[in-house]
């Protein structure tokens, strides 16, 4: 029996993972041995979304590839063991651990490394780069002792790093050598708009200057930077994000040609001068003389190399050789992203290099919006720059190279100012809709649903900027089902459950699921969604019977899992009002169980670091003291924040604390499509920040104003005024109606802000429904809320009094008395924090 050929892949980033998927799609993994040498201690993850780690996404959630992909395809993945040498004559690769692998085909997917300018002090304590999850963990840890941070580089990654430092609470500086931010992507006008917006967020930007040196204190830690214009910056932390360089040292060491400015030289099949060695992604110098630093060209290279290797090894597979027709001859460098909450996009000839080209621009410095289209004399769209409003990107980029059906100025005019919005029909079938995976409109329209598009073409699974356009291209009569198990939307399932009084997921799946899904176990999308619907309609214990199997990890244990596998405890403190006796109990519990304590922005106290087996013991003491669950783990009401109001504040005109407590106790435990936040301000000074909440209340001399659809976080939205000068009873009645209408009609994981913007007719329609009862359903909405209020039971109080329910709270099912040994802590500022050296990447625990 002949030995199967071996393919060795050096590097396991986004492009390396895509190459493995391309091999699997071609059946190569079934016929060849595939070995992957990965330098990082974790498998491939979404580096494009790296900064989302700071907004709550875990390393697990950033991971690429379906669970079990490597095992299913027999791929050997060696983590934390990079290649150190290539012997091309012997066709072997040696790893840092001393392993040697013979190869028939070798693929270099080593990516790039951050460029750190050769300035004095660049290696001082407090200097970092911004490239990997490990870099982010180190920055996050160091930032806890810092007050000010500086980022060297004002490009894509530099601004992401600046956003991360600002989010960590540091006063942040950005230093960019070029005369504007993002010099590669945007022009002078776009850079100016971006600068105004970012400075308006409180960041300090220095353009047109370089870093001369990083200065340090007597202990060798960073304390400042000196710039080329003679000025200085006081800073405790420096992040270098001044670009990247191809990681091509392995190729240099084994004699493969590289470019003058770096990059492993490859042909149109991504093959190096050695026919057995390929290079893909940021380490490769393509045949057009460019190194591509975006993921979309890297994916195209991965596909090209996979096809070439399949053809090369075809003889070993079937005794015949095949030729590869696919060729990589260059790629579109268009990009769309959100930096510090600002939409930025560029496409085509964004800087207008084409001879005789003309610019069409629109600029509004008040709102930070800048748009420019580059057109040829005959009207052909050549490219463009969009800052502050990039909604048109998905349609404009595919039209590049053609003459749009309307005048260019109509494509970028402000709403109401002659703007024309093109529909999907304006795109030709060969227009590339998904740049990440090079998917055309024709390929998308051959599918019926978004899940089918993602599965068959991978469109929409990359940066995500094309998802909205894909939805517009799909047949409107097509399947809009929640998932592969149900052909119905979430709101339709809600009405089915409510009308037919269905009380179990299994009954709903068997009666209204897709034929092929009936009798099955469902999926991770519909189970928690249906679980939330059942909970919002029944007000029963969420972990009774079948309900428990529908919940995700947080709801399953009635607590928020933290990054090291421990859990947080969040007692409800309505309106932020708490007695000294209750504060003492919280302090005693934190002390006795060694928990980290922190006052949150929602006026509660979080207790961090509990093992899963400690949760019932902790909650027994809290419940006995009169506390109940704060529902920080659920898609439910979190808090109703308040100022001190008329009782104490000389500006207050109403009792905001009383109202906040009444509202929080009324809506506690209300399960919804997404979490709900609220606030009550006692006067127009708005100290409780009510207009950034899902529903917010502001006192007036005549009563209360109700605002809805607000949102903070990464995509802030001011709430809209729904009604004015309401009495207490009128206010509660309108909030009841608003919340139940939202719960009935919103999509899965849709915040009220997104729901309100999507709602046909917007705020006017919402006002007609919940204020004027245009649909005749307000009595029903009020009755449903009354059922919730009367049926509320505290989940933790229900749990600690039931031995069967308590049995789930163990770290290991087969060793219920054993604590999880990976949950460890180290001291910091007289408390404790997770020991990151044993940080677990598991997404769930036993149970």
């Amino acid at each position: 029996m002949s030995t199967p050929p071996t393919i060795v892949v050096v590097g396991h980033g986004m492009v390396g993972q895509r190459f493995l998927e391309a091999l699997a799609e071609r059946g190569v993994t079934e016929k060849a041995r595939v070995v992957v040498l990965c330098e990082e201690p974790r498998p491939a993850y979404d580096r494009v979304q790296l900064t989302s780690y700071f907004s709550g996404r875990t390393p697990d959630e950033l991971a690429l590839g379906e669970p079990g992909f490597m095992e299913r395809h027999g791929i050997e993945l060696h983590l934390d063991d990079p290649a150190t040498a290539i012997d091309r004559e012997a066709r072997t690769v040696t790893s840092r651990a001393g392993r040697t692998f013979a190869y028939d085909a070798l693929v270099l997917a080593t990516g790039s490394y951050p460029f750190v300018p050769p300035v004095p002090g660049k290696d001082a304590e407090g200097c970092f780069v911004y490239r990997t999850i490990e870099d982010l963990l180190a920055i996050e840890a160091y930032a806890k002792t810092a007050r000010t941070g500086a980022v060297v580089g004002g490009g894509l990654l530099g601004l992401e790093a600046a956003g991360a430092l600002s989010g960590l609470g540091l006063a942040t500086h950005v230093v960019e050598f070029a005369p504007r931010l993002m010099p590669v992507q945007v022009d002078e006008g776009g850079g100016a708009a971006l600068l105004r917006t970012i400075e308006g967020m409180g960041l300090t930007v220095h353009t047109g200057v370089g870093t001369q040196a990083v200065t340090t204190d007597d202990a060798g830690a960073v304390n400042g930077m000196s710039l080329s214009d003679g000025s200085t910056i006081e800073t405790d932390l420096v992040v270098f994000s001044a670009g990247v360089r191809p990681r091509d040292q392995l190729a240099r060491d084994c004699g493969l040609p590289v470019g003058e400015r770096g990059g492993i030289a490859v042909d149109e099949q991504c093959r190096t001068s050695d026919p057995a060695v390929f290079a893909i992604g940021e380490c490769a110098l393509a045949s057009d003389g460019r190194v591509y630093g975006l993921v979309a060209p890297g994916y195209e290279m991965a596909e090209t190399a996979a096809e070439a290797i399949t053809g090369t090894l075809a003889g070993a597979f079937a005794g015949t050789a095949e030729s590869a027709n696919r060729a990589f001859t260059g790629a579109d460098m268009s990009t769309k992203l959100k930096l510090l909450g600002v939409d930025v996009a560029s496409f085509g000839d964004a800087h207008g290099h084409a001879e005789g080209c003309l610019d069409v621009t629109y600029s509004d410095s008040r709102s930070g919006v800048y748009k420019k289209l580059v057109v040829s004399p005959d009207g052909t769209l050549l490219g463009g720059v969009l800052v502050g409003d990039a909604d048109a990107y998905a349609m404009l980029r595919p039209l590049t190279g053609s003459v749009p059906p309307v005048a260019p100025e109509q494509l970028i005019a402000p709403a109401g100012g002659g703007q024309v919005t093109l529909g999907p029909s304006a795109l030709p079938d060969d227009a590339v809709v998904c740049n990440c995976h090079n998917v055309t409109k024709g390929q998308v329209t051959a599918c019926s649903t978004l899940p089918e598009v993602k599965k068959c073409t991978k469109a929409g699974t990359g940066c995500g900027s094309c998802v909205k356009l894909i939805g517009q291209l799909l047949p409107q009569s097509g399947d809009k089902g929640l998932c592969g198990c149900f052909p119905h939307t979430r709101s339709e399932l809600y009405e089915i459950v409510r009308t037919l009084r269905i009380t179990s997921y299994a009954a709903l799946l068997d009666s209204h699921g897709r034929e092929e899904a009936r009798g099955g176990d469902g999926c991770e999308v519909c189970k928690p969604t249906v679980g939330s619907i059942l909970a919002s309609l029944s007000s029963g214990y969420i972990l009774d019977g079948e309900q428990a199997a529908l919940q995700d990890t947080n709801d399953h244990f009635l607590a928020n899992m933290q990054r090291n596998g421990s859990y947080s405890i969040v007692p409800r403190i309505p309106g932020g009002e708490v007695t000294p006796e209750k504060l003492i109990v919280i302090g005693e519990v934190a002390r006795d169980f060694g928990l980290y304590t922190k006052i949150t922005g929602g006026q509660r106290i979080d207790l961090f670091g509990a093992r899963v087996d400690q949760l019932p013991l902790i909650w027994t003491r809290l419940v006995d003291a009169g506390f109940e669950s704060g529902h920080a783990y659920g898609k439910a009401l979190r808090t109703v924040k308040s100022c001190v109001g008329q009782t104490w504040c000389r500006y207050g005109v109403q009792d905001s604390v009383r109202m906040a407590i009444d509202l929080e106790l009324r809506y506690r435990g209300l399960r919804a499509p997404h979490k709900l936040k609220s606030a009550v301000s006692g006067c127009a000074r708005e100290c409780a920040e009510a207009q950034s909440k899902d529903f917010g209340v502001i006192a007036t001399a005549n009563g209360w104003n109700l605002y809805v659809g607000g949102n903070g976080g990464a995509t802030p939205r001011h709430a809209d005024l729904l009604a004015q000068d309401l009495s207490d009873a009128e206010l509660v009645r309108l909030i009841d109606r608003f919340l139940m209408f939202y719960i009935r009609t919103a999509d899965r994981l849709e915040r009220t802000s997104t729901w309100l913007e999507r709602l046909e007719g917007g705020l006017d329609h919402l006002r007609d429904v919940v204020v004027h009862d245009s649909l005749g359903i307000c009595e029903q909405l009020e009755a449903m809320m009354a059922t919730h209020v009367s049926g509320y039971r505290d989940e933790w109080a229900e749990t600690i009094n039931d031995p069967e329910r308590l049995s789930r709270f163990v770290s290991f099912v087969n060793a219920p008395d054993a604590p999880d040994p990976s949950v460890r802590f180290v001291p910091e500022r007289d408390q404790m924090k997770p020991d990151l050296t044993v940080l677990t990447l598991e997404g769930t625990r036993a149970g």
Side-chain angles (χ1 to χ4, degrees):
M1 183 176 179
S2 61
T3 302
T6 298
I7 302 170
V8 175
V9 182
V10 178
H12 191 221
M14 297 180 72
V15 174
Q17 173 63 21
R18 182 67 199 106
F19 172 76
L20 298 176
E21 293 170 357
L23 288 184
E25 291 163 4
R26 290 164 172 78
V28 175
T29 53
E30 299 175 8
K31 304 167 185 176
R33 179 191 182 196
V34 181
V35 178
V36 183
L37 299 177
C38 178
E39 181 177 26
E40 295 191 53
R42 65 189 78 234
Y45 52 88
D46 190 347
R47 206 181 302 274
V48 172
Q49 302 293 332
L50 190 62
T51 302
S52 66
Y53 166 81
F54 289 113
S55 60
R57 289 187 72 182
T58 66
D60 263 356
E61 291 170 331
L62 287 170
L64 295 175
E66 298 176 358
F69 172 82
M70 296 293 183
E71 295 80 4
R72 192 162 59 252
H73 293 285
I75 298 171
E76 304 171 29
L77 175 61
H78 299 273
L79 298 176
D80 203 17
D81 191 17
T84 55
I86 299 170
D87 186 334
R88 289 166 50 209
E89 186 174 345
R91 287 196 176 184
T92 61
V93 178
T94 302
S95 75
R96 184 170 62 192
R99 300 184 180 97
T100 299
F101 301 93
Y103 64 82
D104 294 277
L106 172 64
V107 179
L108 302 177
T110 48
S112 58
Y113 65 90
F115 170 69
V116 177
V119 297
K122 64 181 177 63
D123 297 318
E125 179 185 346
C127 288
F128 301 91
V129 294
Y130 196 87
R131 187 66 177 166
T132 68
I133 287 179
E134 273 59 45
D135 293 334
L136 270 57
L137 295 175
I139 291 170
E140 183 180 43
Y142 198 86
K144 292 177 181 178
T145 60
R147 292 178 301 173
T148 305
V151 177
V152 179
L156 296 177
L157 206 56
L159 292 183
E160 288 199 10
L165 295 188
S166 180
L168 290 171
L170 304 187
T172 304
H173 295 259
V174 179
V175 179
E176 169 56 48
F177 183 75
R180 63 177 182 273
L181 296 172
M182 292 184 63
V184 175
Q185 286 78 22
V186 303
D187 62 357
E188 185 175 348
L194 187 60
L195 174 64
R196 282 191 296 270
T197 303
I198 289 178
E199 287 185 332
M201 297 176 182
L203 279 73
T204 304
V205 179
H206 312 260
T207 55
V209 294
T211 303
Q212 294 293 93
V214 175
T215 59
T216 59
D217 59 19
D218 294 339
V222 171
N223 66 4
M225 289 172 54
S226 59
L227 305 181
S228 59
D229 62 356
S231 62
T232 60
I233 297 173
E234 291 185 7
T235 183
D236 308 308
L237 182 155
V238 174
V239 176
F240 289 102
S241 185
V244 294
R245 300 290 186 270
R247 181 167 286 180
D248 56 15
Q249 192 59 47
L250 275 174
R252 293 175 185 269
D253 292 344
C254 70
L256 289 172
V258 298
E260 184 178 345
R261 301 183 63 183
I264 308 165
V266 297
D267 63 14
E268 293 184 355
Q269 272 67 52
C270 297
R271 199 187 308 264
T272 69
S273 61
D274 184 332
V277 182
F278 296 76
I280 56 177
E282 293 179 321
C283 68
L285 177 68
S287 58
D288 64 353
R290 299 182 67 176
V291 173
Y292 289 89
L294 297 177
V295 70
Y299 283 172
E300 182 67 17
M301 287 182 177
E303 294 275 0
T304 300
E307 184 163 319
I309 289 173
T310 302
T312 300
L313 298 182
F317 298 152
T320 59
E322 295 180 6
S323 60
N325 296 320
R326 195 179 191 118
F328 181 83
T329 57
D332 184 358
M333 295 294 285
S334 301
T335 183
K336 177 181 180 291
L337 61 159
K338 187 181 290 289
L339 295 168
L340 297 167
V342 183
D343 283 325
V344 179
S346 66
F347 58 96
D349 184 10
H351 294 290
H353 295 306
E355 185 176 353
C357 65
L358 305 170
D359 292 348
V360 179
T361 61
Y362 167 78
S363 179
D364 181 356
S365 58
R366 294 172 304 169
S367 58
V369 172
Y370 172 83
K371 303 178 184 180
K372 181 186 80 173
L373 297 183
V374 180
V375 297
S376 67
D378 67 357
T380 300
L381 179 62
L382 302 178
V385 175
L386 305 171
V387 176
D389 177 9
D391 286 349
Y393 170 81
M395 283 296 299
L396 291 174
R397 186 190 56 76
L399 286 173
T400 303
S402 64
V403 178
V406 297
E409 58 270 21
Q410 292 181 286
L411 298 175
I412 58 173
Q419 182 186 64
V420 174
T421 302
L422 297 180
S425 60
L427 295 178
D429 283 346
D430 60 356
V432 175
V433 171
C434 173
N435 201 39
C436 292
H437 295 282
N438 199 31
V439 179
T440 65
K441 172 187 172 181
Q443 291 173 287
V444 169
T445 54
C447 302
S448 301
T449 66
L450 181 59
E452 183 183 351
V453 171
K454 291 182 175 181
K455 180 179 180 180
C456 297
T457 70
K458 296 190 181 296
T461 62
C463 71
S465 64
C466 62
V467 171
K468 183 177 180 180
L469 178 58
I470 290 173
Q472 296 171 340
L473 288 170
L474 293 173
Q476 296 305 301
S477 59
D479 189 349
K480 299 179 182 178
L482 176 69
C483 61
C485 304
F486 288 98
H488 309 283
T489 65
R490 181 205 167 274
S491 58
E492 289 169 346
L493 287 175
Y494 182 95
E495 293 302 325
I496 291 170
V497 172
R498 183 185 68 83
T499 305
L500 301 181
R501 299 182 180 179
I502 295 173
T503 58
S504 78
Y505 172 83
L508 181 65
L509 184 63
D510 287 344
S511 61
H512 290 82
R514 301 181 195 273
E515 189 68 35
E516 62 272 19
R518 296 181 183 181
D521 297 326
C523 72
E524 69 279 2
V525 172
C526 59
K527 287 197 290 187
T529 302
V530 174
S532 173
I533 292 173
L534 293 171
S536 68
L537 287 168
S538 69
S539 298
Y541 181 73
I542 196 169
L543 298 182
D544 267 343
E546 177 209 51
Q547 276 275 67
L550 304 181
Q551 310 306 324
D552 61 18
T553 300
N554 287 348
D555 274 307
H556 195 77
F557 291 121
L558 305 178
N560 265 341
M561 175 180 267
Q562 304 304 310
R563 65 186 305 168
N564 70 333
S566 64
Y567 289 82
S568 68
I569 292 89
V570 186
R572 186 175 299 285
I573 303 179
E577 183 180 87
V578 61
T579 64
E581 289 75 18
K582 285 189 173 183
L583 278 176
I584 289 170
V585 171
I586 289 177
E588 289 176 339
V589 167
R591 179 197 62 203
D592 295 347
F593 288 91
L595 305 178
Y596 170 87
T597 58
K598 187 179 187 307
I599 297 174
T600 73
Q603 298 180 335
R604 302 189 295 189
I605 298 175
D606 276 14
L607 309 174
F608 293 87
R611 300 193 311 267
V612 67
D613 54 291
Q614 295 176 319
L615 293 175
L617 302 175
I618 293 169
W619 273 105
T620 296
R621 292 176 58 173
L622 293 174
V623 170
D624 288 345
F627 287 106
E628 62 181 34
S629 170
H631 287 98
Y633 48 82
K635 300 294 186 289
L637 178 74
R638 297 294 176 84
T639 65
V640 181
K641 183 178 177 181
S642 78
C643 63
V644 296
Q646 186 183 48
T647 307
W648 294 93
C649 179
R650 66 183 186 274
Y651 301 114
V653 294
Q654 299 289 348
D655 187 352
S656 57
V657 178
R658 175 193 59 79
M659 179 56 72
I661 292 173
D662 289 348
L663 294 179
E664 184 158 342
L665 294 180
R666 182 172 183 82
Y667 303 124
R668 57 188 170 177
L670 179 66
R671 284 314 204 271
H674 210 298
K675 64 185 176 185
L676 292 164
K677 295 183 179 181
S678 181
V680 182
S681 285
C683 73
R685 285 171 175 80
E686 247 284 72
C687 293
E689 301 171 328
Q691 292 179 81
S692 65
K693 303 296 189 286
D694 294 281
F695 62 101
V697 180
I698 300 178
T700 71
N702 300 315
W704 307 97
N705 286 352
L706 175 59
Y707 293 81
V708 296
N711 187 30
T715 54
R717 181 187 190 275
H718 256 63
D720 294 318
L721 179 62
L722 183 65
Q724 296 176 272
D725 295 329
L726 302 168
S727 67
D728 288 8
E730 290 170 334
L731 174 68
V732 171
R733 184 163 57 250
L734 285 189
I735 296 175
D736 285 356
R737 296 173 177 180
F738 165 73
L739 290 176
M740 294 313 301
F741 186 54
Y742 160 67
I743 290 171
R744 285 182 67 164
T745 59
D747 286 340
R748 167 182 173 266
L749 301 181
E750 187 175 38
R751 286 294 294 268
T752 58
S753 56
T754 309
W755 167 74
L756 183 55
E757 290 183 344
R758 179 183 61 82
L759 197 65
E760 188 172 349
L763 181 67
D764 289 340
H765 175 64
L766 176 65
R767 186 178 288 114
D768 285 342
V769 172
V770 302
V771 178
H772 305 305
D773 198 14
S774 61
L775 299 181
I777 61 172
C778 284
E779 184 177 349
Q780 186 182 86
L781 297 176
E782 292 171 22
M784 293 170 69
M785 183 62 77
T787 299
H788 163 76
V789 173
S790 63
Y792 172 76
R793 292 180 294 171
D794 177 49
E795 291 164 359
W796 267 112
E798 295 278 309
T799 300
I800 60 177
N801 294 314
D802 189 321
E804 183 176 346
R805 291 169 177 169
L806 288 175
S807 64
R808 77 176 61 253
F809 294 94
V810 294
S811 295
F812 302 101
V813 173
N814 58 351
D817 297 326
D820 188 340
S822 68
V823 179
R824 303 179 196 169
F825 304 93
V826 293
E828 181 177 86
R829 294 191 297 278
D830 298 324
Q831 295 203 75
M832 58 77 168
K833 70 170 186 177
D835 183 354
L836 300 184
T837 63
V838 294
L839 179 63
T840 177
L841 293 181
E842 296 177 13
T844 57
R845 281 292 185 271

